[in-house]
Amino acid sequence: MNVLILNGPNLNLLGKREPEIYGHETLADIENAIRHRAFDKGVGTDFLQTNHEGVMLDRIHEARGRFDAIVINPAAWSHTSVALLDALKAFEGHVIEVHLSNIHTREAFRHHSYISARAEAVIAGMGSFGYLAAIDFLAR
């Protein structure tokens, strides 16, 4: 199993931006924890964080035939991007959506995610453990 982990806008600021919501771990901390968990489960990983939607779309397109699953934290694009939804619909593998915070307890505009229409599982509000739960789910 090979899994592509995608992180959307502003997640490069984890550990510095609103730590009361997103925690004190950096994206590098989270990626290291994912690598260790994936290695223990025999799962290969690759990572991308971008603040540019077109870059994310291109990476999803490139993942077709190369990865068995995508774990995506689309961040703010969850609530706005039909383009990401359409790209994920063209991906044949598993899609797991992850959010560090519980988007359903935040502002009303965050309650809807376009990405959830394609995801077979949505993990929200578990902090960085959500990514590990996604790896465990895919490795089962």
Side-chain angles (χ1 to χ4, degrees):
M1 162 95 36
N2 287 307
V3 179
L4 177 61
I5 294 95
L6 299 174
N7 284 288
N10 301 311
L11 292 173
N12 56 305
L13 299 176
L14 285 175
K16 296 180 175 79
R17 177 181 168 246
E18 298 180 280
E20 68 281 1
I21 295 173
Y22 301 110
H24 294 278
E25 292 174 290
T26 66
L27 185 58
D29 295 334
I30 293 170
E31 288 178 351
N32 284 333
I34 295 168
R35 276 189 196 92
H36 285 38
R37 177 66 59 94
F39 179 81
D40 290 346
K41 302 280 185 180
V43 173
T45 56
D46 195 13
F47 298 86
L48 171 72
Q49 185 283 322
T50 183
N51 295 315
H52 304 281
E53 190 174 13
V55 171
M56 179 79 73
L57 292 168
D58 288 344
R59 192 68 175 110
I60 293 168
H61 296 171
E62 293 165 3
R64 297 180 72 221
R66 295 185 55 215
F67 289 92
D68 304 297
I70 292 175
V71 173
I72 183 169
N73 182 341
W77 292 328
S78 308
H79 325 294
T80 62
S81 185
V82 175
L84 278 180
L85 170 61
D86 289 346
L88 289 166
K89 284 183 173 181
F91 176 74
E92 300 89 358
H94 305 282
V95 175
I96 310 299
E97 181 180 1
V98 172
H99 296 280
L100 295 165
S101 67
N102 183 347
I103 62 173
H104 303 289
T105 62
R106 298 190 58 200
E107 303 94 334
F109 73 87
R110 295 186 193 274
H111 296 180
H112 178 262
S113 170
Y114 286 100
I115 307 313
S116 296
R118 170 57 178 92
E120 62 192 82
V122 178
I123 303 167
M126 295 174 64
S128 64
F129 182 76
Y131 292 94
L132 304 181
I135 295 297
D136 290 348
F137 176 79
L138 291 167
R140 75 189 192 302

